[in-house]
């Protein structure tokens, strides 16, 4: 049995508590939050759980095997570092850290301490993304050409980060999982319309190896909620629409072929292919339930998480470069491909 504590019981923390509480290999032992109101809410649902405002109560509790951190990103590094330093496995919410050096320090410490470092890139554990991965690995799409996503809605404004750190973190993690290519440059555009220091709407362009390009469009100021991703291959293309309740993934046998005619050598001809579409059946288990089971499995059986510190670092690298590019009005920022 894994004894787990949770720090942060705001918007996302309750989802973690619910999943930890119902996992057969876990016992939710303590919840920590600065806010008395949030602790009172937690206490009503989990009367058996210790409640505290002091994070040290969790770090010093030798009965705890793991701690999950669901606080704002600026606090992740400090809390995760203390968790690992106290010989506990750690679950960190996305994005893993604010800085690249912090992400690397967590990776080093988890390996030195031989403790699991799990980053909650939730979408990787959805039936939809796992099915798309399977289709790509089967070679059905051919060579991958692009990743093109739009994730927009009205709110929830975060207090401490731009929309990129909140919403694009999801797309970068999905893109990195489906297309694990080296990323060369990132450019990001957007503006601080409301004068509060944070950018609520942004477009990212990521150049990767094999001439693959990712476009990620995110916004907190859209009148409608759109969650669509197009993944292009030379053979087939996928539409992943997270708002579609019954057919989230559609695989289109559509594409463009270029060829040379004998008569007109060197003159490229274009031929459009329009074939069938199918929507594969997807597993419908809540992503956090799958992620929680995987975290427990990694702790019990010494496995490496699918969303480990390295995956967390890949996302942080793109986010840090995006922030710099935003400041420079979309100038391309080179990424270090060596780590
Ligand atoms: N994986 C996902 O799909 C997903 C979805 C939403 C949010 N998140 C992530 O979860 C994290 C939290 O986001 P949120 O929307 O729940 O934020 P939130 O502001 O609603 O909640 C954060 C809570 O943490 C508490 N807190 C802050 N610092 C603390 C500290 N040092 N010690 C104890 N308590 C502290 C606050 O009082 C608050 O109750 C963020 O990193 C966010 O990116 C992930």
């Amino acid at each position: 049995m894994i004894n787990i504590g949770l720090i942060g019981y705001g918007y996302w923390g309750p989802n973690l508590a619910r999943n930890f509480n119902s996992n057969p290999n876990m016992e939710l032992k303590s919840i920590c939050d600065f806010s008395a109101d949030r602790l009172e809410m937690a206490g009503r649902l989990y009367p058996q759980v210790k409640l505290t405002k002091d994070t040290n109560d969790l770090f010093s509790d030798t009965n705890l095997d793991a701690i999950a951190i669901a606080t704002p990103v600026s606090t992740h590094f400090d809390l995760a570092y203390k968790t690992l330093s106290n010989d506990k496995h750690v679950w960190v919410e996305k994005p893993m850290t604010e800085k690249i050096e912090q992400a690397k320090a967590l990776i080093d410490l988890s390996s030195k301490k031989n403790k699991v470092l799990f980053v909650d890139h939730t979408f990787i554990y959805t039936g939809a993304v796992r099915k798309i991965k399977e289709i790509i690995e089967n070679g059905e799409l051919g060579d991958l050409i692009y990743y093109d996503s739009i994730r927009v809605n009205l709110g929830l404004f975060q207090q401490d980060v731009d929309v990129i750190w909140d919403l694009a973190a999801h797309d970068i993690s999905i893109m990195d999982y489906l297309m694990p290519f080296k990323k060369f440059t990132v450019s990001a555009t957007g503006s601080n319309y409301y004068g509060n220091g944070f950018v609520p709407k942004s477009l990212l362009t990521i150049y990767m190896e094999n001439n693959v390009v990712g476009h990620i469009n995110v916004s907190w100021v859209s009148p409608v909620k759109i969650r669509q991703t197009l993944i292009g291959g030379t053979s087939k293309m996928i539409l992943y629409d997270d708002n579609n309740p019954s057919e989230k993934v559609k695989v289109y046998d559509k594409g463009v072929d270029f060829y040379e005619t004998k008569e007109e050598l060197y003159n490229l001809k274009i031929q459009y292919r329009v074939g069938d579409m199918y929507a594969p059946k997807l597993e419908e288990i809540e992503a956090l339930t799958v992620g929680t089971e995987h975290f427990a499995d990694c702790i019990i059986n010494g496995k490496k998480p699918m969303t480990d510190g390295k995956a967390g670092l890949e996302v942080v690298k793109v986010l840090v470069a995006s922030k710099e590019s935003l400041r420079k009005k979309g100038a391309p920022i080179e990424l270090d491909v060596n780590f």
Side-chain angles (χ1 to χ4, degrees):
M1 193 55 82
I2 299 160
N3 291 327
I4 189 161
L6 169 65
I7 304 178
Y9 196 79
Y11 164 69
W12 194 243
N15 295 320
L16 300 188
R18 174 171 52 76
N19 274 284
F20 297 158
N21 191 53
S22 60
N23 184 288
N25 291 309
M26 282 186 179
E27 198 154 328
L28 180 60
K29 287 288 189 186
S30 31
I31 296 179
C32 170
D33 199 296
F34 284 160
S35 152
D37 290 352
R38 298 308 301 172
L39 285 183
E40 198 200 316
M41 268 183 207
R44 265 187 260 133
L45 281 175
Y46 308 106
Q48 78 287 4
V49 165
K50 268 190 248 166
L51 304 174
T52 176
K53 287 185 180 182
D54 186 355
T55 50
N56 287 318
D57 289 344
L58 273 67
F59 299 134
S60 63
D61 184 347
T62 49
N63 291 319
L64 280 188
D65 303 300
I67 294 177
I69 294 157
T71 51
V73 59
S74 56
T75 65
H76 288 182
F77 173 68
D78 184 45
L79 298 174
Y81 199 87
K82 283 184 181 148
T83 301
L84 290 166
S85 300
N86 283 281
D87 297 300
K88 301 180 195 317
H89 305 283
V90 67
W91 167 303
V92 195
E93 268 314 316
K94 62 84 200 165
M96 179 163 73
T97 55
E98 277 186 304
K99 295 181 181 148
I100 291 170
E101 301 68 38
Q102 296 173 333
K104 286 158 113 181
L106 291 184
I107 293 170
D108 289 348
L109 188 59
S110 73
S111 120
K112 195 169 124 207
K113 292 280 187 177
N114 201 18
K115 295 291 165 191
V116 172
L117 166 56
F118 177 100
V119 185
D120 185 18
H121 293 162
T122 316
F123 280 89
I124 306 308
Y125 299 99
T126 58
V129 172
R130 283 181 296 137
K131 177 55 78 179
I132 296 171
K133 179 80 173 168
E134 195 184 303
I135 293 169
I136 290 175
E137 284 186 342
N138 285 343
E140 208 176 317
L141 298 198
D143 295 334
L144 297 171
I145 314 172
Y146 64 79
Y147 180 96
D148 202 337
S149 72
I150 171 160
R151 186 178 299 273
V152 301
N153 51 260
L154 198 63
L156 287 165
F157 273 70
Q158 300 287 306
Q159 303 296 319
D160 62 341
V161 288
D162 297 318
V163 67
I164 291 179
W165 284 73
D166 181 32
L167 297 185
H170 290 304
D171 299 288
I172 299 162
S173 67
I174 297 169
M175 187 180 78
D176 187 55
Y177 176 67
L178 297 176
M179 305 179 160
F181 301 136
K182 282 186 179 148
K183 299 172 201 67
F184 296 136
T185 63
V186 176
S187 62
T189 48
S191 161
N192 170 22
Y193 306 101
Y194 298 103
N196 62 351
F198 297 109
V199 176
K201 178 183 178 326
S202 194
L203 179 67
L204 267 73
T205 303
I206 302 155
Y207 281 92
M208 294 173 269
E209 64 183 330
N210 304 331
N211 288 325
V212 179
V213 174
H215 285 120
I216 297 174
N217 182 349
V218 283
S219 171
W220 288 322
V221 284
S222 158
V224 289
K225 181 171 176 174
I226 306 175
R227 296 276 186 270
Q228 290 189 336
T229 303
L230 292 165
I231 297 156
T234 47
S235 303
K236 290 188 184 174
M237 298 177 181
I238 286 182
L239 167 62
Y240 164 29
D241 184 351
D242 204 35
N243 283 350
N244 187 323
S246 57
E247 295 184 332
K248 282 192 194 306
V249 176
K250 291 179 180 166
V251 185
Y252 290 89
D253 184 7
K254 288 190 180 185
V256 187
D257 295 321
F258 295 91
Y259 62 96
E260 288 174 1
T261 55
K262 273 189 185 149
E263 302 78 50
E264 299 168 78
L265 205 59
Y266 307 123
N267 189 8
L268 280 183
K269 294 281 177 195
I270 303 173
Q271 185 168 306
Y272 298 98
R273 233 170 346 88
V274 183
D276 290 341
M277 180 280 287
Y278 74 94
K281 188 167 161 36
L282 306 176
E283 248 185 51
E284 284 183 17
I285 307 169
E286 184 187 350
L288 265 185
T289 307
V290 179
T292 302
E293 277 167 12
H294 181 53
F295 181 51
D297 184 29
C298 290
I299 293 174
I300 294 165
N301 299 307
K303 291 186 185 164
K304 186 169 84 73
M306 285 202 310
T307 51
D308 62 356
K310 175 83 179 47
L313 170 63
E314 275 302 304
V315 173
V316 173
K317 267 164 58 177
V318 176
L319 293 174
V320 168
S322 304
K323 198 170 174 178
E324 190 183 341
S325 178
L326 266 179
R327 243 193 1 254
K328 296 179 176 167
K329 299 205 177 329
I333 305 298
E334 281 188 27
L335 296 174
D336 189 343
V337 292
N338 294 318
F339 60 83

